[in-house]
Amino acid sequence: HKRYHKRLLHFMIKMLNNDEEKARDLLHDLILKLVERPHMFDTSKIFYSWVITFAANMCRTEYRHFHKEYVSADESEVTGKIENAGELISKTDAGIFNDHLDRALNGLQYEHKETFILRFQEGFSIQEISEMMNCSVGTVKSRIYYTTRKLAQELEPFKSLLKK
Protein backbone atom coordinates (compact mmCIF):
# COMPACT_ATOMS: atom_id res chain seq x y z
CA HIS A 1 0.00 0.00 0.00
CA LYS A 2 2.98 2.37 0.53
CA ARG A 3 3.36 2.68 -3.24
CA TYR A 4 -0.01 4.46 -3.56
CA HIS A 5 -0.39 5.98 -0.10
CA LYS A 6 0.68 9.55 -0.97
CA ARG A 7 -1.39 9.71 -4.17
CA LEU A 8 -4.48 8.33 -2.46
CA LEU A 9 -4.12 10.66 0.50
CA HIS A 10 -3.66 13.68 -1.78
CA PHE A 11 -6.73 12.67 -3.81
CA MET A 12 -8.85 12.12 -0.70
CA ILE A 13 -7.79 15.45 0.83
CA LYS A 14 -8.94 17.25 -2.31
CA MET A 15 -12.21 15.35 -2.42
CA LEU A 16 -12.91 16.25 1.22
CA ASN A 17 -12.33 19.99 0.77
CA ASN A 18 -8.80 19.88 2.19
CA ASP A 19 -9.78 18.13 5.42
CA GLU A 20 -6.51 16.22 5.90
CA GLU A 21 -7.52 14.64 9.20
CA LYS A 22 -10.72 13.17 7.73
CA ALA A 23 -8.80 12.03 4.63
CA ARG A 24 -6.23 10.25 6.80
CA ASP A 25 -9.02 8.55 8.77
CA LEU A 26 -10.75 7.37 5.61
CA LEU A 27 -7.48 6.19 4.06
CA HIS A 28 -6.76 4.23 7.23
CA ASP A 29 -10.24 2.65 6.98
CA LEU A 30 -9.66 1.84 3.32
CA ILE A 31 -6.33 0.11 4.07
CA LEU A 32 -7.92 -1.87 6.89
CA LYS A 33 -10.69 -3.04 4.58
CA LEU A 34 -8.12 -4.14 2.00
CA VAL A 35 -6.10 -6.04 4.62
CA GLU A 36 -9.13 -7.64 6.25
CA ARG A 37 -10.88 -8.50 2.98
CA PRO A 38 -8.32 -8.96 0.18
CA HIS A 39 -10.92 -10.88 -1.83
CA MET A 40 -12.64 -7.52 -2.51
CA PHE A 41 -9.93 -6.64 -5.07
CA ASP A 42 -11.17 -7.16 -8.61
CA THR A 43 -8.16 -8.78 -10.29
CA SER A 44 -9.51 -7.89 -13.74
CA LYS A 45 -8.80 -4.22 -12.99
CA ILE A 46 -5.59 -2.24 -12.65
CA PHE A 47 -4.99 -1.93 -8.90
CA TYR A 48 -4.64 1.87 -8.72
CA SER A 49 -7.78 2.43 -10.82
CA TRP A 50 -9.67 0.02 -8.60
CA VAL A 51 -8.39 1.42 -5.29
CA ILE A 52 -8.96 5.06 -6.28
CA THR A 53 -12.52 4.15 -7.26
CA PHE A 54 -12.93 2.61 -3.81
CA ALA A 55 -11.45 5.76 -2.23
CA ALA A 56 -13.70 8.02 -4.30
CA ASN A 57 -16.75 6.05 -3.18
CA MET A 58 -15.71 6.40 0.46
CA CYS A 59 -15.23 10.16 0.01
CA ARG A 60 -18.57 10.47 -1.80
CA THR A 61 -20.33 8.70 1.07
CA GLU A 62 -18.58 10.91 3.63
CA TYR A 63 -19.42 14.02 1.61
CA ARG A 64 -23.10 13.11 1.41
CA HIS A 65 -23.37 12.39 5.13
CA PHE A 66 -21.56 15.50 6.30
CA HIS A 67 -21.85 17.87 3.32
CA LYS A 68 -22.36 21.03 5.33
CA GLU A 69 -19.33 20.34 7.51
CA TYR A 70 -16.99 20.22 4.52
CA VAL A 71 -18.15 23.28 2.62
CA SER A 72 -15.28 25.63 3.37
CA ALA A 73 -16.43 28.60 1.34
CA ASP A 74 -19.84 29.55 0.05
CA GLU A 75 -20.20 30.72 -3.54
CA SER A 76 -20.38 34.42 -2.67
CA GLU A 77 -17.13 34.16 -0.68
CA VAL A 78 -15.39 32.43 -3.61
CA THR A 79 -16.74 34.96 -6.11
CA GLY A 80 -15.75 37.90 -3.90
CA LYS A 81 -12.22 36.65 -3.46
CA ILE A 82 -11.82 35.94 -7.16
CA GLU A 83 -13.18 39.38 -8.10
CA ASN A 84 -10.59 40.94 -5.79
CA ALA A 85 -7.84 38.89 -7.42
CA GLY A 86 -6.98 41.83 -9.68
CA GLU A 87 -5.04 43.46 -6.85
CA LEU A 88 -3.29 40.17 -6.10
CA ILE A 89 -2.09 39.56 -9.65
CA SER A 90 1.05 41.65 -9.18
CA LYS A 91 2.13 39.44 -6.28
CA THR A 92 0.48 36.19 -7.31
CA ASP A 93 2.22 32.84 -7.47
CA ALA A 94 1.26 29.22 -7.92
CA GLY A 95 0.14 28.98 -4.29
CA ILE A 96 -2.39 31.77 -4.62
CA PHE A 97 -3.71 30.36 -7.88
CA ASN A 98 -4.01 26.88 -6.38
CA ASP A 99 -5.85 28.29 -3.38
CA HIS A 100 -8.38 29.94 -5.70
CA LEU A 101 -8.64 26.78 -7.79
CA ASP A 102 -9.34 24.70 -4.67
CA ARG A 103 -12.01 27.15 -3.52
CA ALA A 104 -13.61 27.20 -6.95
CA LEU A 105 -13.57 23.38 -7.08
CA ASN A 106 -15.13 23.20 -3.61
CA GLY A 107 -17.99 25.38 -4.90
CA LEU A 108 -18.88 22.87 -7.61
CA GLN A 109 -21.25 19.93 -7.44
CA TYR A 110 -19.41 16.95 -5.99
CA GLU A 111 -19.58 14.85 -9.19
CA HIS A 112 -18.12 17.71 -11.26
CA LYS A 113 -15.29 18.21 -8.79
CA GLU A 114 -14.55 14.48 -8.71
CA THR A 115 -14.51 14.25 -12.52
CA PHE A 116 -12.13 17.22 -12.79
CA ILE A 117 -9.70 15.86 -10.21
CA LEU A 118 -9.69 12.37 -11.73
CA ARG A 119 -9.08 13.75 -15.24
CA PHE A 120 -6.71 16.66 -14.76
CA GLN A 121 -4.97 15.96 -11.47
CA GLU A 122 -4.91 12.16 -11.41
CA GLY A 123 -4.56 11.77 -15.21
CA PHE A 124 -7.25 9.15 -15.84
CA SER A 125 -8.77 8.84 -19.31
CA ILE A 126 -12.40 9.70 -19.97
CA GLN A 127 -13.16 6.00 -20.46
CA GLU A 128 -11.51 5.10 -17.13
CA ILE A 129 -13.46 7.83 -15.33
CA SER A 130 -16.67 6.58 -16.93
CA GLU A 131 -16.01 3.12 -15.52
CA MET A 132 -14.93 4.42 -12.12
CA MET A 133 -17.96 6.64 -11.69
CA ASN A 134 -20.35 4.16 -13.30
CA CYS A 135 -21.69 6.64 -15.84
CA SER A 136 -21.53 7.11 -19.61
CA VAL A 137 -18.60 8.63 -21.49
CA GLY A 138 -20.99 11.39 -22.58
CA THR A 139 -21.76 12.23 -18.95
CA VAL A 140 -18.04 12.45 -18.16
CA LYS A 141 -17.46 14.72 -21.17
CA SER A 142 -20.40 16.90 -20.16
CA ARG A 143 -19.11 17.22 -16.59
CA ILE A 144 -15.63 18.12 -17.86
CA TYR A 145 -17.09 20.72 -20.24
CA TYR A 146 -19.28 22.28 -17.53
CA THR A 147 -16.50 22.27 -14.95
CA THR A 148 -13.79 23.75 -17.17
CA ARG A 149 -16.20 26.43 -18.37
CA LYS A 150 -17.20 27.31 -14.80
CA LEU A 151 -13.58 27.33 -13.59
CA ALA A 152 -12.52 29.49 -16.55
CA GLN A 153 -15.14 32.06 -15.53
CA GLU A 154 -14.20 31.98 -11.86
CA LEU A 155 -10.45 32.11 -12.51
CA GLU A 156 -10.64 34.79 -15.21
CA PRO A 157 -8.45 37.26 -13.21
CA PHE A 158 -5.54 34.81 -13.56
CA LYS A 159 -5.80 34.66 -17.36
CA SER A 160 -3.28 37.47 -17.79
CA LEU A 161 -0.65 35.35 -16.02
CA LEU A 162 -0.77 32.80 -18.83
CA LYS A 163 0.28 35.40 -21.40
CA LYS A 164 3.61 36.12 -19.70
Side-chain angles (χ1 to χ4, degrees):
H1 77 60
K2 289 181 183 182
R3 181 176 179 187
Y4 301 108
H5 186 267
K6 270 187 172 179
R7 280 184 75 186
L8 283 170
L9 180 61
H10 182 71
F11 171 75
M12 293 174 92
I13 289 170
K14 285 184 176 271
M15 295 311 302
L16 296 168
N17 293 355
N18 298 315
D19 187 337
E20 187 173 343
E21 184 177 329
K22 180 53 74 179
R24 286 183 185 282
D25 289 346
L26 283 180
L27 182 56
H28 177 74
D29 292 347
L30 182 146
I31 292 168
L32 280 177
K33 286 179 184 180
L34 292 176
V35 169
E36 292 171 354
R37 297 180 235 150
H39 61 279
M40 290 174 46
F41 173 57
D42 182 351
T43 56
S44 69
K45 308 254 185 203
I46 296 170
F47 180 75
Y48 186 69
S49 296
W50 177 83
V51 79
I52 202 163
T53 301
F54 197 81
N57 288 336
M58 289 179 76
C59 290
R60 190 177 304 118
T61 300
E62 186 69 24
Y63 180 85
R64 285 183 181 144
H65 281 88
F66 301 102
H67 178 265
K68 291 179 183 169
E69 184 180 333
Y70 293 118
V71 176
S72 63
D74 65 26
E75 194 170 333
S76 62
E77 180 184 350
V78 171
T79 304
K81 288 188 178 195
I82 291 173
E83 286 171 357
N84 293 331
E87 63 196 53
L88 294 175
I89 287 179
S90 61
K91 43 186 174 161
T92 194
D93 62 8
I96 293 172
F97 175 81
N98 287 332
D99 181 51
H100 284 276
L101 176 61
D102 285 345
R103 288 173 187 249
L105 282 170
N106 290 340
L108 298 173
Q109 291 179 0
Y110 188 85
E111 290 79 13
H112 290 108
K113 174 182 174 178
E114 181 178 12
T115 304
F116 181 87
I117 290 172
L118 288 171
R119 179 72 177 127
F120 298 108
Q121 295 178 348
E122 293 295 324
F124 286 101
S125 71
I126 291 172
Q127 180 64 42
E128 289 171 322
I129 296 168
S130 167
E131 293 168 10
M132 295 165 109
M133 296 183 75
N134 196 27
C135 62
S136 72
V137 167
T139 299
V140 173
K141 288 180 179 179
S142 172
R143 287 176 181 166
I144 289 171
Y145 173 79
Y146 169 83
T147 302
T148 54
R149 206 167 131 216
K150 179 84 170 156
L151 290 175
Q153 290 171 349
E154 299 224 7
L155 299 171
E156 177 73 26
F158 293 97
K159 187 176 180 180
S160 63
L161 296 175
L162 298 174
K163 295 177 183 177
K164 290 182 178 181

